[in-house]
Amino acid sequence: MTAHPAATEHAHEHPGIGTYVKVGLFLFVLTAAEVAVYEIGYNSAGSAFGSILHPVVVPVLLALSAVKFALVAMFYMHLKQDSRLFSSVFVFPLMIAAVIILALIGLFAYHYSFQKLIH
Amino acid sequence: MSHAAHALDPHALEHPTSTGLDSRKLAIWTFIGSECLFFASLISTYLVYRGKSLVGPFPHEAWTSPAGQHFEPILEIKLVTVGTALLLFSSLFVVIALNGAQRARRGQFLTFLGLTIMCGIFFVGMQVYEFTHFVHEGLKLQTNLFGASFFTLTGFHGTHVTIGVIWLITMFILGVRGKVPPAKSLNLEMAALYWHFVDVVWIVIFPVVYLMK
């Protein structure tokens, strides 16, 4: 049996060390940004920039986290270069996981608000 | 294919499959996919019970018990930030180690794999210190909802890191004994994929548990 042509077509060369280091440094900068957002948004909320940042701390942290997640998956786990089948096997459960998290948060928010209403 | 060329080809030992992909690599990706669901349930539990604790210590707020005992906010952001940075760098190191293993650069492979293991051990040590500190401060698994969900989530992650460190040490020993030639570098790639997954889980846990109030 020979290798499936469509599969081998997508099995490209992994990136070099230079790309890995650049991604690593960017990940480090993003982590520093996360901590800075936390410090400014919560601990310096009285300052001008802090007051602007305070209401959006959670979405900003989630966005930074999503970028870091994607960078590691694409470059270090080689999903950008490897077969799309690997991406599918990873992304499909990831989507189910996201739905589970959102559904449970929604359900429990409804449960707690309903409890408050009847008490 | 000559013997030397065969030894350098990372895919030389692959069995033919209908997809053209190595079944072992597909298996580790499937396992990682299932782990996404496992950690999703733990993260959901943490988020659902977030802010629902009736007694302290609390993660971000000080608390005084009815008996007059005062508790400071319990999370140590600075320490965990250092641990997070090390875990991120360990992902960089392991991918450079894999690059070395695939190109028969033994020095690069062993040096960076060793650095990865050291980062992993430091991270586990950081977590052991954190857990011990929390217990001394009065936060245990049964203290409140925060304690229960925090220790379960980060404890399971720490267990995964520990398993990853053991796996990487095994690969290091095999590498020292010359048993990870380029033709068998997929064995290291599988360990590296697991290690990166442990890293991406922490990328989610760090802001959700430590940075969001």
Side-chain angles (χ1 to χ4, degrees):
Chain A
M1 190 188 289
T2 55
H4 195 282
T8 48
E9 190 185 324
H10 293 292
H12 300 299
E13 187 71 17
H14 292 168
I17 294 174
T19 307
Y20 293 143
V21 172
K22 280 179 198 162
V23 171
L25 290 174
F26 192 50
L27 287 169
F28 184 75
V29 169
L30 289 177
T31 306
E34 281 182 331
V35 179
V37 166
Y38 166 83
E39 286 293 336
I40 297 167
Y42 290 132
N43 298 341
S44 308
S47 67
F49 188 52
S51 60
I52 297 167
L53 198 58
H54 184 74
V56 291
V57 167
V58 172
V60 169
L61 286 175
L62 287 176
L64 288 170
S65 170
V67 172
K68 285 167 69 184
F69 190 106
L71 283 172
V72 173
M74 284 166 63
F75 290 97
Y76 288 173
M77 298 172 96
H78 302 128
L79 283 182
K80 197 166 183 278
Q81 295 84 29
D82 277 355
S83 166
R84 284 187 182 174
L85 185 60
F86 296 137
S87 303
S88 310
V89 167
F90 181 54
V91 173
F92 181 61
L94 204 61
M95 286 165 65
I96 298 175
V99 170
I100 289 172
I101 293 174
L102 292 173
L104 280 172
I105 290 173
L107 278 170
F108 273 81
Y110 174 76
H111 170 73
Y112 287 126
S113 60
F114 185 71
Q115 269 192 333
K116 272 185 189 171
L117 201 71
I118 58 172
H119 289 296
Chain B
M1 189 185 284
S2 71
H3 180 73
H6 187 274
L8 285 169
D9 182 5
H11 303 290
L13 297 180
E14 278 179 15
H15 298 290
T17 60
S18 58
T19 57
L21 303 169
D22 192 295
S23 301
R24 292 166 296 170
K25 197 166 171 180
L26 193 56
I28 191 77
W29 272 112
T30 310
F31 171 71
I32 287 171
S34 71
E35 288 276 273
C36 287
L37 298 172
F38 174 73
F39 277 103
S41 65
L42 294 177
I43 292 168
S44 306
T45 308
Y46 180 84
L47 287 172
V48 160
Y49 289 139
R50 194 163 158 258
K52 298 288 185 291
S53 295
L54 298 177
V55 294
F58 296 125
H60 297 287
E61 303 87 30
W63 180 69
T64 307
S65 71
Q69 195 178 359
H70 184 73
F71 295 92
E72 288 297 322
I74 200 142
L75 294 179
E76 298 251 5
I77 306 295
K78 284 176 190 166
L79 175 75
V80 181
T81 303
V82 174
T84 303
L86 279 171
L87 204 59
L88 281 175
F89 278 123
S90 77
S91 257
L92 169 63
F93 294 153
V94 80
V95 86
I96 295 175
L98 176 64
N99 181 282
Q102 286 170 337
R103 286 161 180 74
R105 295 176 191 152
R106 191 177 148 86
Q108 178 186 328
F109 159 46
L110 291 176
T111 305
F112 282 93
L113 190 58
L115 285 170
T116 310
I117 292 165
M118 282 167 63
C119 288
I121 290 172
F122 182 88
F123 184 86
V124 174
M126 181 275 295
Q127 219 167 25
V128 169
Y129 168 79
E130 185 188 38
F131 281 21
T132 313
H133 173 70
F134 283 4
V135 170
H136 284 151
E137 291 288 316
L139 183 72
K140 295 176 187 167
L141 192 70
Q142 67 274 25
T143 304
N144 55 19
L145 282 173
F146 167 67
S149 52
F150 171 85
F151 281 119
T152 307
L153 173 57
T154 57
F156 268 112
H157 179 266
T159 308
H160 277 73
V161 176
T162 308
I163 292 167
V165 168
I166 294 167
W167 193 350
L168 292 177
I169 289 173
T170 310
M171 293 309 303
F172 186 83
I173 293 167
L174 288 173
V176 168
R177 294 165 68 182
K179 291 187 175 178
V180 190
K184 287 187 176 178
S185 65
L186 186 69
N187 292 340
L188 178 64
E189 193 173 352
M190 286 163 65
L193 281 171
Y194 175 82
W195 190 256
H196 294 310
F197 173 71
V198 165
D199 183 27
V200 293
V201 170
W202 190 256
I203 283 174
V204 177
I205 291 176
F206 178 58
V208 166
V209 174
Y210 293 91
L211 300 183
M212 289 179 194
K213 287 190 183 177

